[in-house]
Amino acid sequence: MKSNSSAIVDSPQVLCLRAPRRAGLWWGLLGVVAFSFTLPFTRIAVEGLPPLFVGAGRAVVAAMLAATALAFTRQTLPCGRQWWRLAVVGLGVVAGFRLLTSVALATVPASHGAVVIGVLPAATAVVTVLRTGERPSRGFWICSGLGALAAIGFAGVQGGVGALGGAALVFAAPSWADLLLFGAVLLAAIGYAEGGLLARELGAWQTVSWALVVSFPVMLAVTLAAIPDGFPSATPAQWLAFAYLAAVSMFLGFFAWYRGLAIGPMARVSQVQLVQPVLTLIWAAALLGEEISVPTVLGGTAVILCAGLAVRARITR
């Protein structure tokens, strides 16, 4: 007898409809807590391992875990356009976000990356309403734009602060690492929105598992290219950080996150991400000893406030 955990009793769509609406927020929060360790542990891992190896290698390990879970539970194959949509999810959250953040965090602190990525909730909400055909209010777009400007302004302050007339701040252009982080935000927003929709059809953990399997050949090639001189060496702490990135940030965390998005409403659940920069800053200070400067606090507050207003703005169908 074929065992398909997403269809033994009810379809994913039915399960999402039956779940209490607040359940989506709690599942989303659980996923965000898991993700909040990603930047600090990435920072630890890239201190001893090649950034591309960290970004791609964790996806390879996660894909092996995913393939084992899919085979063990005898999941049915996705069909038709679902494969292309899984490729979009893979490009966004498996390949794009992980690779870009790994490279960026080789040169900037985790606390810096946390605040720049703080615009992700608003970006996810924007992509969600565009993808689902919902009609956001003017206030929604204004708040989303302000959130993006706040993130860019933060990057400028961190890039260089000088004196002008004894008091004014000079905003420098965002660095190359900042551009990578903003690119990671865009790709992640696309992957989150498409993955949330697919989770209603395939199930939450099945969606991320199939996306990892689809991405496996490309990520394996990138991993091998990142270590031309053979298997890298690192400290136990750096390997433990890599293991967390592969098993939790890249795999288990998405079980809860996509489950929350599937229950929805997606725009509302995406606001749970607002706590992620705050948590990441705490972990960066506790694990890495990074200083939480005044510009970082002010920048993080501005980004979180603008993103919060954006995802709370009125949205109609």
Side-chain angles (χ1 to χ4, degrees), residues 125 137 139-140 143 267-268 270-272 274 304-315:
S137 65
F140 177 89
C143 293
R268 181 175 300 164
S270 69
Q271 74 179 316
V272 178
L274 300 176
I304 290 172
L305 177 60
C306 293
L309 292 174
V311 298
R312 286 178 170 82
R314 183 173 57 87
I315 300 175

Side-chain angles (χ1 to χ4, degrees), residues 1-5 7-8 73-77:
M1 177 179 178
K2 179 179 280 190
S3 171
N4 188 333
S5 61
I8 292 177
T73 57
R74 298 183 180 181
Q75 295 296 308
T76 55
L77 292 172

Side-chain angles (χ1 to χ4, degrees), residues 83-315:
W83 286 110
W84 292 105
R85 295 167 65 192
L86 285 168
V88 171
V89 176
L91 174 64
V93 301
V94 177
F97 183 81
R98 310 302 161 180
L99 291 175
L100 293 181
T101 54
S102 294
V103 174
L105 289 176
T107 57
V108 298
S111 55
H112 180 95
V115 180
V116 175
I117 293 176
V119 76
L120 182 54
T124 302
V126 170
V127 175
T128 295
V129 298
L130 292 175
R131 179 65 179 83
T132 59
E134 295 173 337
R135 293 181 299 167
S137 65
R138 181 179 300 177
F140 177 89
W141 294 114
I142 292 174
C143 293
S144 296
L146 289 175
L149 290 175
I152 294 171
F154 164 78
V157 171
Q158 293 294 89
V161 179
L164 181 61
L169 296 178
V170 177
F171 290 84
S175 66
W176 176 245
D178 293 318
L179 296 179
L180 292 177
L181 291 170
F182 287 128
V185 165
L186 177 60
L187 290 174
I190 294 172
Y192 284 167
E194 195 62 48
L197 292 173
L198 268 175
R200 296 174 179 173
E201 304 172 19
L202 300 175
W205 75 267
Q206 294 92 333
T207 295
V208 65
S209 295
W210 284 118
L212 286 164
V213 170
V214 168
S215 307
F216 177 77
V218 174
M219 302 309 285
L220 178 61
V222 175
T223 301
L224 295 177
I227 49 174
D229 299 326
F231 203 71
S233 60
T235 66
Q238 290 160 355
W239 280 118
L240 285 174
F242 178 83
Y244 182 93
L245 295 172
V248 181
S249 295
M250 195 74 261
F251 189 50
L252 296 178
F254 279 101
F255 288 21
W257 178 242
Y258 279 145
R259 172 69 171 163
L261 289 177
I263 294 172
M266 289 175 63
R268 181 175 300 164
V269 173
S270 69
Q271 74 179 316
V272 178
Q273 291 176 289
L274 300 176
V275 304
Q276 185 170 334
V278 178
L279 293 174
T280 298
L281 291 173
I282 294 173
W283 309 146
L287 299 174
L288 306 176
E290 293 185 2
E291 180 182 356
I292 307 302
S293 63
V294 173
T296 298
V297 173
L298 294 178
T301 301
V303 171
I304 290 172
L305 177 60
C306 293
L309 292 174
V311 298
R312 286 178 170 82
R314 183 173 57 87
I315 300 175

